[in-house]
Amino acid sequence: MELTGKVAIVTGASRGIGRAIALELGRAGARVIVNYKGNAAAAAEVVEAIGNAIAVQADVSTQAGVDTLLAVAEAAGGAELLVNNAGITRDGLLLRMSDEDWDDVITTNLGSSFRMCRAAATAMLPRRRGSIVNL
């Protein structure tokens, strides 16, 4: 896979699967926008390992966070690849799960993917290129 000169956004890229994806995209030559919500140290490690990357703290469960992330990508040349990886869990028994926990999971895991897809597609369509991967 050759991605030299391409800009890629990976949400939830500071650890786990998102980290692995960001590192692989970096190895393939992409400039990676490493999105994270709260662990700046982990995101900095990913950026350092990639080299050609930018860490962006943004809560992609909100439109403001999505807008922040896309603005950074546009300043970097415009994203041609989006990997929606951000997600949370609130593991526990169904009977004990609060409405607030349920809403947090749905907003983060589904709402962020919807908002990111909408924003990225809006930017990608005029360029007539781009790919979106949802996990």
Side-chain angles (χ1 to χ4, degrees):
M1 180 170 51
E2 175 58 40
L3 297 174
T4 301
K6 309 288 186 195
V7 176
I9 299 171
V10 181
T11 66
S14 64
R15 57 193 182 99
I17 294 170
R19 175 187 171 97
I21 292 168
L23 291 171
E24 189 58 34
L25 291 172
R27 279 188 208 101
R31 181 162 197 199
V32 183
I33 310 296
V34 175
N35 166 245
Y36 70 99
K37 184 177 177 183
N39 193 337
E45 288 176 12
V46 176
V47 167
E48 185 177 333
I50 295 170
N52 189 20
I54 304 167
V56 178
Q57 183 178 24
D59 179 355
V60 292
S61 71
T62 68
Q63 189 61 50
V66 169
D67 292 344
T68 296
L69 194 54
L70 265 290
V72 171
E74 286 301 309
E80 290 188 44
L81 176 61
L82 165 63
V83 178
N84 281 313
N85 172 71
I88 62 170
T89 59
R90 297 287 191 263
D91 292 338
L93 296 174
L94 173 68
L95 297 176
R96 292 187 182 156
M97 183 177 230
S98 69
D99 288 348
E100 181 179 280
D101 283 347
W102 174 255
D103 290 342
D104 287 346
V105 170
I106 295 300
T107 299
T108 300
N109 298 3
L110 298 178
S112 66
S113 291
F114 166 73
R115 287 182 187 88
M116 287 298 301
C117 284
R118 181 176 57 193
T122 299
M124 291 173 180
L125 281 173
R127 294 183 188 111
R128 303 183 66 82
R129 66 182 183 277
S131 299
I132 298 173
V133 177
N134 293 309
L135 302 179

